[in-house]
Amino acid sequence: MKNFEQKTFNLGELKGISAKNIEEHLKLYAGYVKHTNLILEKINSLDASDAGNAYVISELQRRFAFEFGGMRNHEYYFSSLENGSTILTTGGTLETAIVKDFGSFDIWLTKFKTMAMSRGIGWACLSYDKKTGQLLNHWVDEQHIGHLVSTSPIICLDMWEHAYVYDYPTSEKKKYIEAFFDNINWGTIEENLKKVIS
Ligand SMILES: [Fe+2]
């Protein structure tokens, strides 16, 4: 089985998200890549014909979704902050899709930010459902519970406390959400959608 590779991200100086927080956060991302590979190696090393391994294999398989989700969620997150912030193209593919599905960009953004303020750890996501051709906001608990089957992520905003703990107290996580949108590269986000649609 193919190993998953740890990606690097071109993150310059961000507004409202410190280099220290990013540095620590990237270490956590590296851990998810490492453990995604380790779990697969462990499962492959176990003999499934031995009934004594059944419980271990099932629990490792259950854990696999957590590690894999942690790896991919972070790749969407960090890549959306790469190469500096860019503005959303008016009338472009993404804005047109958001207006169609949510009424206006501002209505969507307010709903997305409200979702991001959910209590507890997880991810605020915007994903595209190719079957119906629409964008959907959804919350993901931990790293894996709440991803919508067969949709493709367009935005993944990390709302685990580790994503902002060096910069904001938990009572001020709203400022971190604003900082994320201050730094977002809308060009990258639009490309995420275009790749799925094509
Ligand atoms: Fe994270």
Side-chain angles (χ1 to χ4, degrees):
M1 199 170 280
K2 226 170 152 181
N3 262 9
F4 292 93
E5 282 180 21
Q6 186 182 325
K7 297 191 183 310
T8 55
F9 304 94
N10 183 26
L11 300 166
E13 196 176 324
L14 300 174
K15 292 167 267 178
I17 303 174
S18 64
K20 173 68 176 169
N21 211 125
I22 290 290
E23 182 190 337
E24 294 299 320
H25 204 170
L26 285 168
K27 288 179 194 168
L28 294 175
Y29 159 64
Y32 283 110
V33 179
K34 180 182 169 188
H35 287 279
T36 297
N37 289 323
L38 276 176
I39 279 198
L40 287 177
E41 282 168 27
K42 183 71 181 165
I43 291 168
N44 289 338
S45 74
L46 291 167
D47 179 1
S49 66
D50 178 350
N53 285 331
Y55 187 74
V56 177
I57 291 173
S58 341
E59 288 307 305
L60 286 170
Q61 221 43 92
R62 197 191 299 271
R63 184 77 181 166
F64 174 63
F66 174 85
E67 303 291 359
F68 184 90
M71 173 180 69
R72 283 286 157 83
N73 291 336
H74 283 98
E75 287 168 1
Y76 279 103
Y77 173 77
F78 287 120
S79 66
S80 67
L81 299 173
E82 277 190 293
N83 303 317
S85 62
T86 60
I87 57 165
L88 179 63
T89 306
T90 306
T93 306
L94 180 60
E95 198 215 33
T96 303
I98 287 175
V99 170
K100 174 179 79 65
D101 294 328
F102 295 92
S104 77
F105 179 80
D106 288 342
I107 291 171
W108 165 76
L109 186 60
T110 304
K111 286 202 169 121
F112 189 91
K113 286 178 178 176
T114 301
M115 172 176 66
M117 285 295 290
S118 298
R119 291 192 299 279
I121 52 166
W123 292 77
C125 299
L126 174 72
S127 293
Y128 183 74
D129 179 31
K130 206 167 180 176
K131 285 182 190 286
T132 57
Q134 66 182 328
L135 291 163
L136 297 161
N137 284 336
H138 59 108
W139 177 261
V140 173
D141 273 318
E142 297 187 33
Q143 303 289 358
H144 56 316
I145 305 164
H147 274 298
L148 304 178
V149 175
S150 82
T151 67
S152 301
I154 306 298
I155 299 175
C156 292
L157 168 55
D158 196 340
M159 290 309 302
W160 283 58
E161 286 159 3
H162 65 237
Y164 57 86
V165 71
Y166 291 95
D167 301 327
Y168 306 101
T170 50
S171 60
E172 292 179 21
K173 68 179 178 181
K174 198 171 184 180
K175 289 182 182 169
Y176 158 71
I177 296 168
E178 295 301 328
F180 173 77
F181 280 102
D182 284 344
N183 290 290
I184 197 168
N185 184 330
W186 283 110
T188 301
I189 302 302
E190 184 151 25
E191 277 307 306
N192 288 345
L193 179 61
K194 283 181 176 171
K195 277 182 212 154
V196 182
I197 288 175
S198 65

